[in-house]
Amino acid sequence: MRLRVSHLTRYDYTDAVSLCHSIVHLKPRQCPHQRCLSSTLRISPGPAVNREHEDFFSNRVNYFSIQQSHNVLEVTAVSEVEVSAPSLPEAAETPAWEVARDCLHQRRKPAMNAALVFTLASPLVPLNVAAREYAALSFTRGRPILEAADDFMARIFHEFAYDPQFSSISTPVAEVMAHRRGVCQDFAHLAIAGLRGLGLAARYVSGYLETLPPPGQVKLQGSDASHAWFSLLIPDLGWVDFDPTNNLIPGEQHITTAVGRDYQDVTPMRGIFYGGGAHDLTVAVDVNRVLE
């Protein structure tokens, strides 16, 4: 499936900003099941510096600097991607999850060794005993890893309430566990904390999800939003994504922008600015199918 995504970020400042430096993760990455056909970044006012590089996790990162006075900053990323659904074996035919854990430490498997960074605690995903114990209910002794991960994802979906009013990006995993509620970022962080607690390699995935309107209704522009899910490293399969907010394995409607240890590694836009006072932030995302 071919999709076009537009992501607008707008800051309106009460006072003029004299200088700003920003880093953005807004251009989709190349993945085994995703091909970025084109991607452009429009910045207003025009930046004095605008560079793109690849970070430690192979994400596409843009750094820009605006060195003129401005009261409004607009950043618009427009990309076109081709996405296909992964081809996975029967869950019961995958190796036991303990085998996947042990493979991470075998010297003859360098690809697995390279993922050890995703077994460690990170700023927003500390190792949490409650999360580990919660994950362990699905990862019983000898259980096939894909079967266990599917069950773990489904339990988060059914046992945690989606509540946009409950949390922010900085809400600790411990609070999400205690209150059994949150949003997609929280569910991804919770899942990663549980999986890392078991010694598995799990990473945070940031991107977009095409949302379809109810039958007979027109899709509203700006109704899509940034989305997040988690990815688990499975021997011989590589990284396999899981979306606990929707209880499904991402397919043709998911667009991957960046991966990292947690949200802090993949923030859509962050930076510093001088002046500005208070500000209003507007974010609008549109994901539309491209008819071929």
Side-chain angles (χ1 to χ4, degrees), residues 2-260:
R2 187 171 293 187
L3 299 169
R4 181 180 293 115
V5 56
S6 174
H7 185 140
L8 165 69
T9 305
R10 177 185 171 107
Y11 287 90
D12 288 273
Y13 302 102
T14 56
D15 300 316
V17 172
S18 58
L19 173 68
C20 83
H21 300 281
S22 297
I23 292 176
V24 299
H25 297 86
L26 292 172
K27 292 186 175 181
R29 58 184 280 144
Q30 303 291 354
C31 305
H33 306 290
Q34 174 178 291
R35 190 161 60 102
C36 183
L37 305 175
S38 65
S39 190
T40 60
L41 193 66
R42 298 195 300 269
I43 304 165
S44 177
V49 180
N50 184 10
R51 295 193 297 262
E52 181 174 333
H53 67 276
E54 194 173 277
D55 69 9
F56 177 79
F57 304 108
S58 299
N59 300 315
R60 299 174 68 181
V61 184
N62 280 85
Y63 158 77
F64 66 85
S65 173
I66 298 175
Q67 301 174 13
Q68 57 180 294
S69 179
H70 58 281
N71 288 85
V72 176
L73 169 61
E74 276 196 2
V75 178
T76 304
V78 179
S79 306
E80 192 167 306
V81 298
E82 194 170 71
V83 186
S84 59
S87 178
L88 298 175
E90 290 294 324
E93 296 176 359
T94 55
W97 71 269
E98 295 96 335
V99 171
R101 178 196 61 197
D102 296 342
C103 279
L104 290 165
H105 304 279
Q106 295 178 8
R107 292 184 179 180
R108 59 188 177 84
K109 292 184 178 290
M112 297 291 287
N113 300 159
L116 282 171
V117 65
F118 294 109
T119 66
L120 306 175
S122 58
L124 296 180
V125 183
L127 296 182
N128 179 275
V129 173
R132 184 192 68 215
E133 292 176 347
Y134 184 72
L137 297 175
S138 293
F139 288 80
T140 52
R141 181 178 299 180
R143 192 173 191 183
I145 186 168
L146 187 54
E147 182 179 290
D150 278 338
D151 182 67
F152 184 38
M153 172 178 66
R155 287 176 48 232
I156 294 173
F157 175 76
H158 290 294
E159 297 172 12
F160 285 73
Y162 184 85
D163 184 357
Q165 307 304 317
F166 169 73
S167 63
S168 67
I169 290 302
S170 60
T171 300
V173 169
E175 285 191 25
V176 177
M177 277 298 308
H179 296 278
R180 300 291 178 107
R181 58 204 318 109
V183 294
C184 56
Q185 292 91 346
D186 300 311
F187 302 154
H189 283 155
L190 160 66
I192 293 167
L195 294 168
R196 290 180 185 168
L198 296 174
L200 295 167
R203 66 187 187 182
Y204 185 96
V205 187
S206 177
Y208 306 101
L209 172 62
E210 180 202 27
T211 53
L212 301 176
Q217 295 187 25
V218 177
K219 179 177 179 178
L220 299 177
Q221 294 302 303
S223 61
D224 298 298
S226 295
H227 193 45
W229 54 97
F230 72 91
S231 192
L232 175 65
L233 187 59
I234 299 179
D236 301 323
L237 290 182
W239 290 101
V240 179
D241 290 357
F242 298 85
D243 181 353
T245 305
N246 296 291
N247 192 27
L248 54 80
I249 290 179
E252 294 183 322
Q253 291 177 269
H254 286 70
I255 299 172
T256 299
T257 302
V259 302

